[in-house]
Amino acid sequence: MDFLVATLALFVATGGAPLVEFGAIRLSPDEAAALDARKAVVRVERDRSARGAAAEILGIIDVKASPQTLWEVMLDCARAPAIIPHMKSCKVIEQASNGAHDIREHVVSYTFLFPNVRSVFRSDYRLFEEIRFQRIEGDLRIMEGVWTLAPVNNGDATRVTYRARVATGTPAPRALIRRSVRADMPDILTSLREMAERDGAPDR
């Protein structure tokens, strides 16, 4: 049994992707003020877990669109290159008949050192609330995380939160990886917001 088949068998046996654990989010006063000012909050830190990931990532942004509108944008592979910098391709490889999960392939050029980084991952969906993803194969040694959507401001907006751990499969300066992610994450969040707010505008 090859690695991909063995991994898929594990997912079936456990009923979905393994739970990705992160600590509680505590926003600083400056971060809370940034969200109020419609800015993205991004933290990229050295992972402190025993697994030794290159980066632990947190991204938060408030979007004046419904979770349903955001959901449609986030799951649309055709739109992914307009949201994620340096993305070369996005492809859905397999999809559950009930839409509860799928397997996708992304190819992204993170830095000049990593011009073609291929990632195959499973995403498990809790409709309009959560996308939990886990690496299956590819060039990244570790890729796991979760997107959450939660109403804020009495339902006038949706808070999008992204949390992930990422590590490359090749020796590379970890600071370089963190710097690249720190530069790209605000653009990803603001591009997602712009697209969702445009889709959710009343005149559409």
Side-chain angles (χ1 to χ4, degrees):
M1 184 180 292
D2 64 25
F3 177 74
L4 178 58
V5 173
T7 304
L8 289 174
L10 174 62
F11 281 132
V12 171
T14 57
L19 185 65
V20 179
E21 295 287 357
F22 295 95
I25 300 173
R26 294 180 177 83
L27 294 176
S28 71
D30 286 346
E31 289 173 332
L35 287 175
D36 287 342
R38 286 179 56 79
K39 296 179 181 178
V41 168
V42 173
R43 300 178 196 165
V44 182
E45 302 173 349
R46 183 176 180 178
D47 180 55
R48 297 181 175 83
S49 75
R51 301 182 63 184
E56 184 165 314
I57 307 159
L58 169 68
I60 308 174
I61 197 165
D62 289 345
V63 181
K64 292 182 178 178
S66 68
Q68 292 88 337
T69 298
L70 273 157
W71 195 263
E72 291 181 6
V73 173
M74 294 170 71
L75 268 62
D76 186 353
C77 242
R79 301 198 197 195
I83 297 173
I84 302 174
H86 321 300
M87 171 165 276
K88 296 188 173 182
S89 66
C90 170
K91 179 168 60 176
V92 178
I93 298 173
E94 295 181 23
Q95 190 169 31
S97 59
N98 63 0
H101 65 267
D102 63 31
I103 295 174
R104 298 183 177 224
E105 178 193 74
H106 283 182
V107 178
V108 180
S109 176
Y110 282 105
T111 69
F112 68 92
L113 291 176
F114 306 102
N116 290 288
V117 178
R118 175 178 175 266
S119 301
V120 178
F121 57 96
R122 167 165 167 155
S123 296
D124 285 87
Y125 302 113
R126 197 166 74 212
L127 189 63
F128 308 141
E129 294 181 3
E130 180 183 276
I131 302 170
R132 189 175 293 274
F133 58 90
Q134 187 85 21
R135 175 193 183 274
I136 291 178
E137 64 174 14
D139 298 317
L140 296 178
R141 180 169 56 89
I142 297 172
M143 187 184 75
E144 59 182 9
V146 60
W147 290 89
T148 58
L149 308 178
V152 292
N153 300 331
N154 297 315
D156 290 338
T158 301
R159 178 156 296 175
V160 179
T161 302
Y162 172 84
R163 307 192 75 178
R165 296 187 184 98
V166 176
T168 65
T170 58
R174 294 184 175 186
L176 178 63
I177 303 301
R178 293 194 295 272
R179 190 178 309 122
S180 176
V181 174
R182 191 176 290 112
D184 287 346
M185 198 67 212
D187 291 340
I188 292 171
L189 294 171
T190 54
S191 294
L192 173 62
R193 180 177 65 193
E194 289 170 4
M195 195 169 292
E197 290 184 347
R198 187 166 59 246
D199 278 15
D203 58 345
R204 288 188 62 87

